[in-house]
């Protein structure tokens, strides 16, 4: 007997009838209760109890059928009149007989503002916010934009404070502007709210005050300024001292979101700088990175994947907001002076990818500050400069590639930006006369060690070697004195009385050895997201090309070298199964030979002759143009943790050098054209 569909239809009709009847009953009950609480109550204990009972019943009905209560004419207004009647006047306290009734009324209004839900299909829920919006509008209209509720923040009765703050948050989420106006019209309400946050011994009351402050500080600059001068920032960090930042709990996250809200305000930024707020931020970041959990190990490991680094990310977001604002220069200086760069030493600690990249992002925001360069090379607070530690992480054997990519990009940018840091890095290339045990190896010596391994014919980590070459390139960029100094910079102490090997000689020797090594291997399917031996050759060519194009003395030595010119000429015809490396190596090698054409006339003509005889002028131009059009040069990876072959500065340099070589070739062709056919 198939009765399924008919039974379902009848059940639906029956349920609809029951719902309608229940709604009618609720409406009748609500009308009766509203009449009871709206009547002129006598000032007797029995009258107080009757009103309290009626409010309690109305609250229960509001939980069960809020729509029926709201639909009852004058219901919300009647409840608001009860709140007004029971609220204290001025600095008075709530009468003991009115406390419970006032709380019932506030809780009833809160129930009416809870979003209703109605089932619209299997597994589907549709939220109805129109009722909550209507109640919010009525409350705002009949309570002076919420001023009556704000006055309840000054009472000493904590449960009433709590209920008022809960209700205010629900109103603010729907009608923020009227509440903002009420707060600014009576700034004492903010003082009362701040007092609750700063002094309430009851956590749930304090947390509700924090929730309300989180809302009202999100977008109103005047409110942000008022709470800041009332000690909001200091209060945030004071409470954070009792919170486990490594747990990423809700209270800690709300506090930090409040901090993010106010640090975007120019006045608050100035206040933060003048009250040592930058030091508090740095201290909190340090705690978020290194703080130990009091939980059991298994629970700690669970948090590791869920909330372990949420507070660190929010603290870094606050720092970035400071470092990227209109007052960025002053804010960066404050953060650097507070020791923000010293946080980078934690990159050497075992850590997940998220905090590593967040710390590097902080470094990226601070590196334009001139004092950042001073801190990186300072011996004052540390046994060795921070730069040495960062380079050790960058070139270390177990550093994840994502961290190498991010740290290498920011560190190279910082070195290239600050000439004092370039000179310092250059000086660290020289050998130490006496090495002290347990001292950090100078940054330049780490690079020299890799070059020496490469010069012996291999064995150097391709990743470490690539980033070492990028560091050297950053050291040379735009600094003529460093470019010249590197030529004669000794990098070894000879065991005999002979001359020491210079940096230029070591670099050329390593370059030649790498060219031979790569020629002996054929990279069929390269991973374009990480360096290999062929990538190291690209790194050498980038460095040599820039140095030759910008330092005439080095160019003269290179162009007249009986060793280096044949190496580069062979690379102009380099070929392997990986088309990418073929384009990159050939194009860069051609530009290196183009640099030789820019040298003294005899060497220039010899280089031009080699090009015309070995590959041809037209083919030379085609190889350079292929390099210029390559995606690696034209569209560098943007994400901080992605591997990048070139940056925008090097792209501009390639274009300028390409055009200069073309002009020089035309000049030589016009004057000695018959020799180059």
């Amino acid at each position: 007997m198939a009765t399924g569909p008919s039974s379902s239809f009848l059940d639906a009709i029956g349920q609809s009838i029951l719902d309608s009847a229940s709604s009618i009953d609720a409406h009748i009950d609500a009308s009766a209760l509203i009449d009871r609480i709206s009547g002129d109550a006598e000032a007797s204990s029995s009258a107080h109890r009757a009103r309290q009972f009626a409010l309690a019943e109305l609250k229960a009905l509001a939980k069960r059928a809020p729509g029926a209560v709201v639909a009852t004419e004058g219901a919300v207004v009647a409840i608001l009149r009860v709140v007004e009647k029971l609220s204290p006047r001025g600095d008075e306290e709530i009468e003991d007989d009115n406390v419970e009734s006032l709380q019932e009324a506030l809780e009833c209004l809160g129930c009416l503002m809870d979003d209703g839900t109605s089932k619209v299909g299997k597994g589907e829920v549709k939220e109805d916010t129109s009722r909550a919006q209507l109640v919010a509008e009525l409350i705002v209209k009949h309570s002076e934009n919420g001023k009556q509720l704000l006055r309840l923040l000054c009472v000493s009765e904590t449960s009433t404070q709590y209920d008022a703050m809960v209700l205010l948050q629900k109103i603010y989420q729907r009608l923020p502007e009227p509440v903002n106006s009420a707060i600014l019209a009576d700034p004492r309400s903010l003082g009362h709210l701040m007092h609750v946050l700063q002094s309430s011994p009851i956590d749930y009351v304090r947390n509700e005050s924090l929730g309300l402050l989180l809302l009202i500080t999100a977008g109103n600059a005047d409110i942000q300024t008022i709470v800041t001068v009332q000690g909001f920032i200091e209060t945030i960090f004071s409470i954070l001292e009792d919170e486990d930042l490594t747990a990423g709990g809700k209270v800690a996250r709300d506090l930090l979101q409040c901090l993010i809200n106010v640090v975007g305000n120019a006045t608050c930024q100035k206040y933060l700088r003048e009250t040592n707020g930058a030091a508090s931020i740095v201290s909190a970041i340090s705690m978020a990175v290194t703080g130990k959990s009091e939980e059991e190990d298994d629970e700690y490991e669970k948090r590791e994947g869920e909330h372990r680094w949420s507070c660190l990310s929010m603290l870094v977001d606050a720092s970035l907001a400071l470092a990227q604002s209109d007052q960025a220069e002053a804010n960066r200086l404050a953060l650097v002076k507070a020791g923000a760069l010293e946080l980078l030493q934690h990159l050497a600690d075992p850590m997940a990818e998220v905090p590593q990249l967040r710390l590097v992002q902080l470094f990226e925001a601070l590196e334009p500050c001139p004092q950042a360069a001073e801190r990186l090379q300072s011996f004052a607070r540390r046994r060795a400069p921070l730069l040495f530690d960062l380079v050790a992480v960058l070139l270390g054997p177990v550093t994840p590639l994502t961290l190498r990519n991010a740290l290498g990009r920011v560190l190279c940018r910082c070195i290239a930006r600050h000439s004092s840091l370039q000179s310092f890095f250059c000086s660290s290339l020289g050998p130490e006369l006496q090495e002290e045990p347990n001292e950090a190896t100078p940054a330049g010596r780490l690079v020299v060690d890799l070059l020496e391994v490469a010069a012996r014919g291999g064995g150097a980590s391709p990743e470490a070697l690539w980033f070492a070459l990028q560091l050297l390139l950053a050291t040379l960029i735009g600094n003529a004195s460093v470019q010249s100094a590197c030529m004669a910079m000794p990098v070894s102490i000879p065991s005999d009385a002979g001359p020491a090997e210079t940096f230029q000689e070591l670099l050329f020797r390593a370059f030649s050895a790498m060219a031979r090594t790569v020629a002996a291997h054929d990279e069929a399917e390269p991973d374009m997201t990480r360096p290999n031996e062929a990538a190291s050759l690209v790194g050498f060519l980038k460095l040599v090309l820039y140095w030759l194009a910008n330092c005439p003395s080095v160019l003269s030595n290179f162009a007249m070298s009986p060793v280096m010119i044949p190496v580069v000429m062979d690379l102009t015809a380099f070929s392997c199964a990986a088309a990418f490396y073929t384009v990159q190596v050939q194009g860069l090698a051609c530009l290196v030979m183009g640099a030789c054409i820019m040298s003294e006339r005899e060497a220039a003509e010899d280089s031009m002759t080699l090009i015309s005889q070995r590959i041809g002028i037209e083919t030379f131009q085609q190889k350079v143009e292929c390099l210029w059009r390559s995606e690696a040069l034209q569209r560098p990876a943007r994400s901080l943790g992605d591997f990048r072959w070139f940056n925008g500065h090097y792209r501009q340099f390639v274009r300028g050098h390409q055009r200069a070589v073309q002009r020089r070739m035309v000049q030589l062709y016009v004057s000695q054209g018959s020799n180059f056919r």
Side-chain angles (χ1 to χ4, degrees):
M1 182 175 178
T3 60
S6 298
S7 298
S8 299
F9 177 71
L10 293 174
D11 289 344
I13 293 178
Q15 185 62 46
S16 176
I17 294 172
L18 291 174
D19 291 343
S20 298
S22 176
S23 177
I24 293 171
D25 290 342
H27 185 73
I28 294 172
D29 292 343
S31 298
L33 291 171
I34 293 300
D35 289 340
R36 287 166 58 186
I37 67 172
S38 300
D40 294 331
E42 299 178 2
S44 62
S45 59
S46 60
H48 283 301
R49 285 196 298 272
R51 181 176 57 199
Q52 182 180 335
F53 291 153
L55 284 167
E57 291 181 34
L58 185 61
K59 183 180 74 172
L61 184 60
K63 290 180 179 179
R64 177 168 54 85
V69 176
V70 174
T72 301
E73 184 177 358
V76 175
V77 176
I79 300 171
L80 287 170
R81 286 174 180 166
V82 171
V83 172
E84 181 182 7
K85 184 184 298 183
L86 300 180
S87 297
R89 299 292 182 268
D91 296 330
E92 298 176 359
E93 286 295 327
I94 307 174
E95 296 181 10
D96 292 341
D97 292 340
N98 293 337
V99 170
E100 292 188 22
S101 296
L102 180 57
Q103 291 174 12
E104 296 284 7
L106 293 172
E107 290 174 11
C108 182
L109 291 171
C111 293
L112 297 179
M113 291 198 65
D114 289 337
D115 289 340
T117 58
S118 58
K119 294 184 178 180
V120 295
K122 186 177 181 180
E124 299 179 13
V125 175
K126 179 181 179 181
E127 292 191 0
D128 179 14
T129 61
S130 58
R131 170 172 44 79
Q133 182 71 20
L134 174 61
V135 175
E137 291 173 356
L138 289 171
I139 294 175
V140 166
K141 179 179 179 181
H142 294 278
S143 64
E144 302 176 81
N145 289 344
K147 285 184 181 180
Q148 293 179 5
L149 300 177
L150 289 170
R151 295 189 190 107
L152 295 176
L153 300 179
C154 69
V155 302
S156 60
E157 208 287 309
T158 55
S159 295
T160 303
Q161 285 181 332
Y162 173 84
D163 291 333
M165 289 186 291
V166 170
L167 182 57
L168 281 166
Q169 289 179 70
K170 293 179 179 180
I171 298 169
Y172 194 92
Q173 289 170 349
R174 293 164 178 83
L175 295 172
E177 290 308 318
V179 180
N180 283 339
S181 299
I183 291 173
L184 294 174
D186 183 14
R188 290 179 303 172
S189 58
L190 279 176
H192 298 317
L193 185 58
M194 286 294 299
H195 179 72
V196 174
L197 179 67
Q198 294 165 343
S199 61
S200 177
I202 304 175
D203 286 347
Y204 69 84
V205 176
R206 182 203 66 182
N207 294 347
E208 287 304 324
S209 69
L210 175 60
L212 182 54
L213 282 164
L214 179 62
L215 291 174
I216 65 178
T217 58
N220 191 289
D222 293 329
I223 292 177
Q224 293 167 355
T225 301
I226 293 171
V227 297
T228 297
V229 299
Q230 290 179 344
F232 190 36
I233 294 176
E234 293 90 336
T235 302
I236 288 173
F237 288 110
S238 175
I239 299 175
L240 280 175
E241 290 178 359
D242 298 326
E243 296 294 325
D244 183 3
L245 288 175
T246 63
K250 184 180 186 304
V251 173
R253 295 199 307 272
D254 285 351
L255 286 165
L256 293 177
Q257 186 58 55
C258 286
L259 178 64
I260 293 172
N261 288 348
V262 300
V263 295
N265 184 299
T267 304
C268 299
Q269 290 178 26
K270 182 177 179 181
Y271 180 92
L272 184 143
R273 293 195 305 270
E274 294 177 350
T275 58
N276 211 29
S280 297
I281 292 177
V282 172
S283 177
I285 294 177
S286 180
M287 179 60 68
V289 173
T290 63
K292 304 299 182 183
S293 170
E294 297 179 357
E295 303 291 338
E296 296 296 330
D297 290 343
D298 56 349
E299 184 65 22
Y300 180 80
E301 292 176 0
K302 180 181 179 181
R303 289 205 318 252
E304 177 84 23
E306 296 176 0
H307 302 297
R308 172 72 173 95
W309 305 111
S310 58
C311 288
L312 173 63
S313 291
M314 297 182 76
L315 283 162
V316 172
D317 285 339
S319 302
L320 296 180
L322 290 170
Q324 297 168 354
S325 68
D326 293 338
Q327 302 177 32
E329 186 174 352
N331 293 336
R332 288 171 183 153
L333 177 59
L335 288 168
V336 170
K337 286 185 174 180
L341 288 177
E342 276 68 20
L343 296 167
L344 297 174
Q345 62 187 306
H346 296 301
L347 290 174
D349 301 338
M351 203 182 303
E353 180 179 311
V354 170
Q356 288 176 335
L357 292 182
R358 296 300 277 163
L359 290 177
V360 176
Q361 282 181 312
L362 179 59
F363 181 25
E364 183 179 32
L366 299 178
E367 62 87 9
C369 179
Q371 285 72 22
E374 296 177 7
R375 281 296 177 94
L376 287 175
Q377 57 188 293
S378 173
F379 285 86
R381 296 188 179 184
R382 302 166 49 84
R383 295 178 60 191
L386 179 60
L387 177 65
F388 293 2
D389 288 345
L390 295 182
V391 172
V393 172
L394 179 63
L395 306 183
V398 296
T399 303
L401 180 60
T402 301
L403 177 57
R404 287 195 208 269
N405 293 335
L407 181 58
R409 187 182 304 184
V410 179
L411 187 56
C412 288
R413 185 184 305 157
C414 184
I415 292 173
R417 186 190 303 273
H418 303 288
S419 59
S420 63
L421 206 52
Q422 291 176 309
S423 299
F424 180 77
F425 192 94
C426 175
S427 67
S428 70
L429 294 169
E432 294 181 284
L433 298 178
Q434 183 177 359
E435 295 185 6
E436 297 292 336
N438 301 322
E439 287 220 356
T441 304
R445 295 308 299 174
L446 293 173
V447 173
V448 167
D449 291 344
L450 285 169
L451 291 178
E452 288 179 342
V453 174
R456 291 195 293 268
S461 163
E463 288 184 11
L465 185 57
W466 168 270
F467 288 103
L469 294 168
Q470 305 316 301
L471 287 171
L472 291 172
L473 178 59
T475 304
L476 299 175
I477 287 177
N479 195 321
S481 61
V482 171
Q483 294 167 11
S484 299
C486 283
M487 286 182 56
M489 172 67 68
V491 294
S492 64
I493 301 176
S495 57
D496 54 15
E501 185 177 35
T502 65
F503 171 76
Q504 174 192 294
E505 293 168 342
L506 174 60
L507 179 66
F508 289 174
R509 185 160 61 91
F511 174 34
S512 177
M514 182 57 65
R516 292 193 301 271
T517 300
V518 174
H521 298 82
D522 190 2
E523 188 72 23
E525 296 182 2
D527 182 355
M528 303 307 299
T529 64
R530 66 185 316 123
N532 56 13
E533 288 183 338
S536 299
L537 182 57
V538 174
F540 272 108
L541 286 167
K542 284 177 60 180
L543 174 60
V544 169
L545 172 59
Y546 185 87
W547 200 7
L548 298 183
N550 290 277
C551 185
S553 300
V554 175
L555 175 58
S556 178
N557 293 342
F558 189 92
M560 299 298 293
S561 171
V563 175
M564 301 311 302
I565 292 299
V567 169
V568 178
M569 281 305 305
D570 288 342
L571 292 178
T572 61
F574 175 82
S575 178
C576 73
F580 171 83
Y581 289 123
T582 300
V583 170
Q584 299 301 313
V585 172
Q586 288 185 0
L588 288 169
C590 286
L591 286 176
V592 170
M593 288 305 301
C596 295
I597 295 174
M598 308 291 291
S599 62
E600 298 174 358
R601 188 167 187 84
E602 182 179 352
E605 291 177 354
D606 290 343
S607 299
M608 184 79 166
T609 300
L610 279 173
I611 292 172
S612 62
Q613 292 178 353
R614 291 280 297 273
I615 59 176
I617 302 298
E618 184 176 351
T619 303
F620 173 91
Q621 300 289 3
Q622 290 174 351
K623 292 177 185 291
V624 173
E625 190 63 23
C626 286
L627 169 67
W628 170 248
R629 294 177 181 274
S630 66
E631 184 174 359
L633 185 64
Q634 293 297 329
R635 299 184 63 185
R638 295 183 180 180
S639 178
L640 189 62
D642 290 344
F643 179 72
R644 186 160 69 173
W645 295 92
F646 302 94
N647 58 21
H649 176 272
Y650 204 87
R651 180 174 63 247
Q652 294 175 0
F653 158 71
V654 167
R655 194 54 161 174
H657 182 65
Q658 178 187 12
R659 291 172 176 172
V661 170
Q662 289 174 344
R663 289 193 296 269
R664 180 62 169 161
M665 293 182 80
V666 170
Q667 292 173 356
L668 291 174
Y669 190 84
V670 170
S671 61
Q672 300 288 335
S674 59
N675 295 330
F676 307 134
R677 294 194 179 111

